[in-house]
Amino acid sequence: QVQLVESGGGLVQPGGSLRLSCAASGRMMHINAMGWYRQAPGKQRELVARISSGSSTNYLESVKGRFTISRDNAKNTVYLQMNRLKPEDTAVYYCNADGVELATAKGFESWGQGTQVTVRP
């Protein structure tokens, strides 16, 4: 089973920055895409940013130019650099990854436990 562990959330003032990290662990795996989703109170979970195994990226329109997703394949880790944060970015951020477990050739999709990001004065 592939586990995702997130870190880096917290409280920040508007205009500030945070960097989220998410590391995958477990059986030997090939990870295809990795991404970050967020869910604010009373709202549906939405895709914030996603990066493929070939490093192609896509972003939620409202975060383009402020957030940057990257990955370190050697460490099975994905990052989300968030700059110029706004109060409307406040949410629980979840890491997501899909791929194949090499020993069984079974596909997987895993979610992290979530990390809170709060943006307020």
Side-chain angles (χ1 to χ4, degrees):
Q1 186 173 2
V2 176
Q3 294 182 326
L4 303 179
V5 178
E6 301 134 335
S7 61
L11 173 64
V12 64
Q13 293 185 340
S17 298
L18 284 174
R19 189 191 194 211
L20 305 183
S21 300
C22 171
S25 64
R27 295 179 179 178
M28 291 186 64
M29 68 196 85
H30 170 75
I31 299 177
N32 293 326
M34 302 185 82
W36 291 95
Y37 291 71
R38 69 186 182 188
Q39 187 166 20
K43 295 187 176 182
Q44 289 189 329
R45 189 174 296 189
E46 62 181 357
L47 173 66
V48 177
R50 194 158 179 84
I51 184 167
S52 71
S53 57
S55 296
S56 296
T57 59
N58 59 288
Y59 294 92
L60 180 68
E61 190 64 32
S62 63
V63 308
K64 285 182 179 178
R66 300 189 296 122
F67 291 11
T68 302
I69 189 170
S70 61
R71 64 190 283 175
D72 184 335
N73 291 328
K75 296 181 179 180
N76 287 335
T77 299
V78 64
Y79 306 96
L80 186 68
Q81 178 66 45
M82 304 185 293
N83 298 327
R84 292 185 281 139
L85 282 159
K86 304 176 181 180
E88 50 264 44
D89 294 318
T90 295
V92 177
Y93 284 70
Y94 297 91
C95 177
N96 172 270
D98 65 79
V100 178
E101 292 187 12
L102 298 180
T104 62
K106 287 185 178 180
F108 71 86
E109 181 181 18
S110 295
W111 290 89
Q113 79 283 359
T115 184
Q116 177 70 45
V117 171
T118 303
V119 184
R120 68 167 182 247

